[in-house]
């Protein structure tokens, strides 16, 4: 807020000087002043117009206003160039016209100004040459080529200046947006953690009571079987919530462990089994023994859960998902293969972008998290997909022995 007011003040002070200079030019030593002829009136009109535009600009900062302002400035500079052929320095202003639009950081406006300026100078020079007014505009005529080269040179410099500054500003804007997005993810994560925590507490209480009843002899065997089942289900729910909590609090100390890939995948598949059954999708696991990698157990599971879940969600009811793990040279290769709806080349390019999701209830965070985990443990992830045919996601991690 403060900087805005400061900027506004600087703007008005600067414009005060500009307007004062224009009025001085109008009144001081102006050969047309005493005649009060149409030339002078034109000059007065343009000074008034430009001043008005400059003063009104902060109140209406839209594109129309900007275009009007630039057009007024162009008209003003060309008019004084025309009216006072003896003042060579007005040519400098003409060269600098596009610089005004640099201030607005609007590429379209800038290129339009550049174009208008070049067209105007070309027509003026042609006019002077054709109508044989070279006598009046001595400065143009004397070194026509040199002046034109200087004019075009100055336009190229301004163009470069604008382009480089524009790129920089754009980069900064992008960076700012990324920071904002990261902040959003953080907030979402914190909220998720809070909710997960709130759910875990009542679950623990219910589980405790069920365990008590399970040991209570007043219940018959049939009821006790049901208690055991309920406890099992609650365990699964707890497990899911724990996974979720590790996901939303990734900065906690995370240890590297030796992970037996087959065992870990077996757990994950078990966890997702009921999810797959919801849509009659089976998950098949083919894993070689003895594949081990170095990573954090929870994160590795999180990675596989996200990928297999995506595969199930992409598959039609009844199709199965294949998870395969094998050793390839010094790496462990894990493939998750589905025969679902697949992705186009463009869609693959967008994967991992936060909030990129084609699902109505998707978060678009799953793959972003996956990419981070893969990178962290020096692995690679590759997507091969054919639209309507299916997708194969291939993970590769260095063997445990290679990492240690
Ligand atoms: P979400 O699952 O919440 O949508 P993800 O980051 O996990 O977010 O996935 C992003 C998008 O990538 C999905 O919405 C989906 O369109 C696409 N996608 C991921 N995996 C597959 C797959 N196996 N088959 C087809 N599309 C997929
Ligand atoms: Mg997903």
């Amino acid at each position: 807020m403060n900087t805005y007011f400061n900027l506004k003040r600087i703007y008005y002070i600067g414009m005060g000087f500009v307007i004062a200079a224009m009025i001085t030019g109008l009144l001081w030593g102006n050969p047309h002043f005493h005649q009060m002829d149409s030339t002078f009136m034109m000059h007065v009109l343009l000074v008034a117009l430009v001043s008005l535009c400059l003063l009104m600009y902060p109140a209406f900062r839209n594109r129309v206003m900007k275009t009007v302002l630039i057009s007024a400035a162009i008209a003003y500079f060309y008019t004084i160039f025309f009216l006072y052929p003896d003042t060579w320095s007005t040519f400098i202003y003409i060269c600098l016209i596009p610089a005004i639009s640099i201030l607005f950081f609007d590429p379209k406006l800038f290129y339009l100004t550049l174009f208008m300026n070049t067209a105007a100078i070309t027509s003026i020079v042609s006019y002077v040459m054709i109508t044989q007014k070279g006598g009046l505009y001595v400065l143009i005529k004397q070194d026509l080529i040199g002046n034109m080269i200087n004019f075009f040179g100055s336009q190229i410099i301004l163009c470069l200046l604008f382009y480089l500054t524009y790129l920089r500003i754009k980069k900064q804007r992008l960076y700012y947006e990324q920071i904002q997005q990261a902040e959003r993810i953080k907030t979402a994560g914190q909220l998720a953690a809070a909710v997960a925590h709130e759910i875990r507490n009542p679950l623990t209480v219910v589980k405790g009571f069920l365990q008590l009843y399970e040991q209570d002899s007043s219940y018959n065997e049939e009821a006790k079987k049901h208690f055991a089942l309920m406890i099992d289900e609650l365990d699964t729910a707890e497990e899911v919530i724990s996974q979720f909590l590790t996901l939303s609090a990734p900065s906690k100390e995370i240890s590297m462990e030796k992970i037996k890939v087959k065992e870990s995948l077996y757990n994950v598949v078990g966890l997702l089994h009921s999810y797959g059954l919801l849509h009659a999708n089976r998950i098949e696991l083919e894993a070689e023994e003895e594949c081990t990698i170095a990573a954090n157990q929870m994160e590795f599971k999180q990675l596989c859960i996200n990928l297999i879940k995506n595969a199930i969600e992409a598959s039609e009811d009844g199709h199965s998902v294949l998870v395969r793990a094998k050793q390839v040279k010094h790496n462990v290769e894990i493939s998750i293969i589905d025969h679902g709806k697949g992705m186009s080349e463009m869609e693959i390019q967008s994967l991992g972008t936060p909030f990129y999701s084609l699902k109505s209830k998707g978060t678009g965070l799953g793959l972003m998290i996956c990419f981070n985990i893969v990178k962290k443990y020096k692995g690679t992830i590759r997507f091969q997909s054919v639209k309507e045919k299916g997708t194969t996601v291939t993970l590769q991690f260095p063997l445990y022995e290679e990492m240690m």
Side-chain angles (χ1 to χ4, degrees):
M1 210 56 191
N2 237 338
T3 45
Y4 181 68
F5 276 118
N6 268 341
L7 274 179
K8 224 173 168 178
R9 189 190 278 164
I10 292 171
Y11 176 83
Y12 278 121
I13 292 173
M15 289 312 127
F17 277 114
V18 170
I19 294 170
M22 286 195 295
I23 294 174
T24 313
L26 185 65
L27 303 177
W28 195 358
N30 187 339
H32 298 276
F33 182 42
H34 299 291
Q35 296 153 17
M36 286 285 167
D37 53 5
S38 56
T39 309
F40 183 72
M41 281 306 152
M42 177 103 170
H43 192 165
V44 171
L45 210 69
L46 280 164
V47 169
L49 180 66
V50 173
S51 308
L52 196 70
C53 286
L54 288 176
L55 292 177
M56 271 170 48
Y57 173 66
F60 307 92
R61 296 153 67 91
N62 54 28
R63 196 179 239 171
V64 177
M65 187 68 214
K66 289 173 188 171
T67 317
V68 171
L69 180 65
I70 287 177
S71 309
I74 291 180
Y76 173 74
F77 288 132
Y78 275 97
T79 310
I80 56 172
F81 176 73
F82 236 131
L83 298 184
Y84 308 99
D86 300 329
T87 319
W88 64 268
S89 47
T90 47
F91 189 64
I92 298 179
Y93 285 132
I94 286 185
C95 292
L96 285 179
I97 284 173
I100 305 170
S101 56
I102 290 187
L103 291 176
F104 299 139
F105 275 107
D106 183 333
K108 268 193 198 146
L109 206 62
F110 176 77
Y111 293 119
L112 180 73
T113 315
L114 206 67
F115 174 75
M116 288 204 297
N117 201 23
T118 311
I121 196 87
T122 316
S123 9
I124 283 201
V125 169
S126 316
Y127 173 76
V128 168
M129 298 313 285
I130 291 169
T131 54
Q132 307 275 312
K133 290 225 169 124
L136 197 55
Y137 297 92
V138 185
L139 291 164
I140 292 189
K141 204 194 152 200
Q142 248 172 13
D143 184 9
L144 182 66
I145 307 284
N147 278 334
M148 282 301 101
I149 290 178
N150 281 346
F151 173 78
F152 285 111
S154 67
Q155 302 305 287
I156 291 170
I157 291 174
L158 285 179
C159 205
L160 208 71
L161 212 73
F162 174 76
Y163 186 65
L164 292 180
T165 332
Y166 181 68
L167 278 189
R168 202 141 144 199
I169 294 263
K170 225 165 96 176
K171 229 195 238 164
Q172 232 156 26
R173 258 188 215 157
L174 197 77
Y175 177 64
Y176 180 67
E177 270 165 25
Q178 276 172 346
I179 290 178
Q180 266 185 332
Q181 212 161 42
E183 201 56 36
R184 242 163 77 203
I185 296 172
K186 212 172 94 188
T187 323
Q190 281 165 346
L191 264 181
V195 171
H197 198 75
E198 289 306 315
I199 296 174
R200 193 149 67 162
N201 286 344
L203 280 188
T204 323
V205 176
V206 175
K207 202 175 112 185
F209 274 110
L210 284 175
Q211 276 165 341
L212 264 178
Y213 294 152
E214 205 187 9
Q215 266 134 43
D216 193 333
S217 51
S218 57
Y219 289 101
N220 62 24
E221 281 309 307
E222 186 66 19
K224 281 187 180 174
K225 235 191 246 165
H226 288 161
F227 290 148
L229 212 74
M230 286 188 223
I231 291 170
D232 254 11
E233 290 300 311
L234 286 180
D235 279 339
T236 318
E238 262 194 328
E239 175 76 27
V240 172
I241 291 171
S242 309
Q243 300 264 7
F244 202 55
L245 278 175
T246 52
L247 164 76
S248 45
S251 54
K252 280 205 191 119
E253 265 176 60
I254 278 175
S255 56
M256 287 264 258
E257 306 159 66
K258 181 173 184 170
I259 295 180
K260 289 183 177 149
V261 172
K262 182 172 181 178
E263 209 180 291
S264 199
L265 283 176
Y266 190 78
N267 281 337
V268 167
V269 168
L271 198 71
L272 281 171
H273 189 67
S274 44
Y275 185 75
L277 283 186
L278 219 63
H279 307 279
N281 300 121
R282 270 161 30 96
I283 310 168
E284 285 164 30
L285 177 62
E286 284 174 17
E288 285 177 5
E289 301 282 344
E290 299 305 321
C291 286
T292 49
I293 60 170
N296 176 268
Q297 183 79 18
M298 274 302 184
E299 289 192 328
F300 178 70
K301 280 187 185 171
Q302 191 66 58
L303 167 68
C304 298
I305 287 175
N306 283 342
L307 294 177
I308 298 173
K309 210 163 142 276
N310 278 347
I312 293 174
E313 285 162 356
S315 301
E316 273 176 37
D317 287 3
H319 284 183
S320 53
V321 169
L322 177 62
V323 181
R324 201 183 270 158
K326 60 178 187 228
Q327 188 175 334
V328 177
K329 289 186 194 153
H330 300 294
N331 293 309
V332 174
E333 189 179 280
I334 302 160
S335 321
I336 294 140
I337 303 158
D338 70 65
H339 303 286
K341 60 171 177 280
M343 287 175 280
S344 66
E345 196 57 44
M346 278 284 280
E347 283 168 37
I348 294 181
Q349 299 263 321
S350 315
L351 296 181
T353 316
F355 304 111
Y356 170 79
S357 174
L358 298 178
K359 295 168 197 165
S360 53
K361 284 189 182 157
T363 60
L365 290 175
L367 286 180
M368 188 193 73
I369 291 164
C370 290
F371 284 20
N372 284 340
I373 296 174
V374 168
K375 198 167 131 201
K376 190 162 161 189
Y377 299 111
K378 310 229 169 353
T380 58
I381 183 166
R382 202 172 70 233
F383 288 84
Q384 287 162 299
S385 192
V386 180
K387 202 92 184 138
E388 305 306 332
K389 283 272 156 57
T391 307
T392 300
V393 186
T394 314
L395 292 168
Q396 281 209 342
F397 287 101
L399 278 172
Y400 181 78
E401 293 76 25
E402 298 284 317
M403 285 283 275
M404 288 296 138

